Amino acid sequence: MRIRMLSLLTVLSAVSLSAMAAAPTVSPEAKKSADMINADAPMQKMLAELMSPQGQKWRFNTQMEIVRIASPSRSEMRRQQELMRRFTEEWGFSPAQVMTRTDGILKDAGLQKVDGLPVYNACVRIPGTYSQQKNAQSYKGQFPKVLLEGHIDTVNPAELPPASAPFVSVKLQKATDPLVKTRSELAALPDELHFDKDGKVIEDENYKKAYQRYKDYEDALGRGALRIYVPGYNDAMINTAAVMQAAYMLNKYKIKPVYDIWICGTTGEEGKGNLCGMKQLYGYNQDTLCLAPYIVQSPDRRGL
């Protein structure tokens, strides 16, 4: 249903642009390349897994397991550490593909701290083939890169809770009930998702109710859908979980892109975060308003 809606919006946007005589055109070369990618056997396998019930559940479970880790801007270290643990222990990346460190250091980056504080990005790299091409073009030692990212910081809680209580509850409420308006009302909701000692969501009765899928909003209301309350659920762990799944799939199916692909959970997008995650990745010095000479260096002297 969502794909159909997006397709409809795309068509409507194209019609609108056409009416303004500014509709973009797709070249035959671009269409041919898209068709070749779509016909590629590993890409088809990856697409099938992404669309499967198991692939959909992977996204939801990963989102719920990561979003419950409190991650206020400039204090994202716990969520970062969990993502980086999963990179190597669960998602099949080699340590050499993990580009960030848990202390906030990004090797050879032009910028390591923003506003005097560490930056807790979590990035992995899918190596491309472009730099090995005979006529590859670079800029100051940098070859083109593609960045996929979703930010991992949230507005709430405003301050990092103590290590003894690093999680926030994932609360559940009937969608037909009035929205909660206060923190005390939220805390009073009796139902929530449960997690085991390893941080994995427990697929009990509450989970089964929360994970139901519906045709549309009216169908959801009529069939007893539940609301899910947790900071960052929509902004932005829903897309961060998706880009993490893209990283996992690209690595699992050994996809060889033309350009290096960096997949990152970036930090500091919200408010006081001051876009610190992006500033580190691009080496943007806010004091001089310019990029550092070498943006981000990977071990083979290629950057982001």
Side-chain angles (χ1 to χ4, degrees):
M1 185 70 184
R2 185 166 183 157
I3 292 174
R4 293 196 194 99
M5 180 61 73
L6 288 174
S7 298
L8 176 60
L9 290 174
T10 300
V11 170
L12 291 175
S13 297
V15 170
S16 251
L17 286 171
S18 179
M20 297 167 58
T25 58
V26 178
S27 69
E29 293 81 6
K31 184 178 184 303
K32 182 179 178 181
S33 295
D35 290 341
M36 288 177 62
I37 292 171
N38 187 55
D40 184 65
M43 292 295 289
Q44 283 295 318
K45 289 181 180 179
M46 187 168 69
L47 178 61
E49 185 170 342
L50 285 167
M51 299 295 289
S52 70
Q54 295 81 6
Q56 295 175 48
K57 182 175 282 190
W58 192 102
R59 286 191 294 277
F60 181 79
N61 288 7
T62 298
Q63 180 187 1
M64 294 299 98
E65 290 160 5
I66 300 298
V67 77
R68 68 189 285 256
I69 304 171
S71 187
S73 292
R74 303 319 312 259
S75 298
E76 306 94 342
M77 66 287 289
R78 293 171 187 161
R79 193 173 283 175
Q80 179 228 34
Q81 289 167 10
E82 177 59 18
L83 286 172
M84 291 180 64
R85 183 195 68 78
R86 293 186 181 211
F87 286 155
T88 56
E89 295 183 17
E90 297 184 14
W91 299 343
F93 288 94
S94 69
Q97 289 177 277
V98 180
M99 310 312 296
T100 42
R101 290 184 357 194
T102 55
D103 60 2
I105 297 297
L106 186 56
K107 186 180 179 183
D108 295 324
L111 190 70
Q112 297 294 2
K113 291 187 176 182
V114 175
D115 298 324
L117 297 173
V119 178
Y120 297 108
N121 286 323
C123 300
V124 289
R125 170 176 166 260
I126 305 293
T129 61
Y130 179 77
S131 65
Q132 309 305 316
Q133 296 180 13
K134 182 178 179 179
N135 298 319
Q137 301 292 309
S138 65
Y139 175 73
K140 293 185 177 181
Q142 306 298 304
F143 290 97
K145 303 290 182 290
V146 175
L147 172 65
L148 303 179
E149 66 86 34
H151 69 83
I152 63 174
D153 61 314
T154 54
V155 175
N156 292 308
E159 302 295 334
L160 185 70
S164 59
F167 306 114
V168 292
S169 298
V170 183
K171 292 286 189 174
L172 307 174
Q173 179 198 37
K174 289 183 180 179
T176 50
D177 289 348
L179 288 165
V180 300
K181 298 180 179 179
T182 66
R183 292 184 180 180
S184 59
E185 288 179 353
L186 179 63
L189 293 178
D191 294 325
E192 59 185 66
L193 291 182
H194 302 114
F195 301 82
D196 65 21
K197 61 181 181 60
D198 297 317
K200 299 297 185 181
V201 65
I202 298 173
E203 298 188 16
D204 56 13
E205 288 305 310
N206 277 1
Y207 174 91
K208 292 174 184 177
K209 293 176 184 177
Y211 189 66
Q212 288 293 320
R213 295 294 180 264
Y214 304 95
K215 181 174 64 176
D216 51 36
Y217 183 66
E218 288 71 24
D219 180 49
L221 291 180
R223 292 171 53 200
L226 299 181
R227 291 193 186 99
I228 299 177
Y229 291 95
V230 63
Y233 174 75
N234 233 16
D235 184 13
M237 286 309 300
I238 194 167
N239 63 288
T240 303
V243 299
M244 291 298 137
Q245 187 175 36
Y248 169 62
M249 290 291 181
L250 289 167
N251 196 53
K252 175 180 178 179
Y253 287 97
K254 303 187 185 307
I255 301 298
K256 296 294 183 183
V258 175
Y259 302 131
D260 284 7
I261 300 177
W262 281 49
I263 303 96
C264 296
T266 56
T267 62
E269 194 275 348
E270 302 290 358
K272 63 182 180 182
N274 199 12
L275 296 178
C276 63
M278 284 301 188
K279 287 176 179 175
Q280 186 190 52
L281 286 176
Y282 288 96
Y284 179 78
N285 189 318
Q286 62 191 26
D287 298 320
T288 60
L289 303 181
C290 67
L291 298 178
Y294 293 94
I295 301 174
V296 170
Q297 299 292 328
S298 60
D300 59 359
R301 303 301 292 170
R302 290 180 287 171
L304 178 69

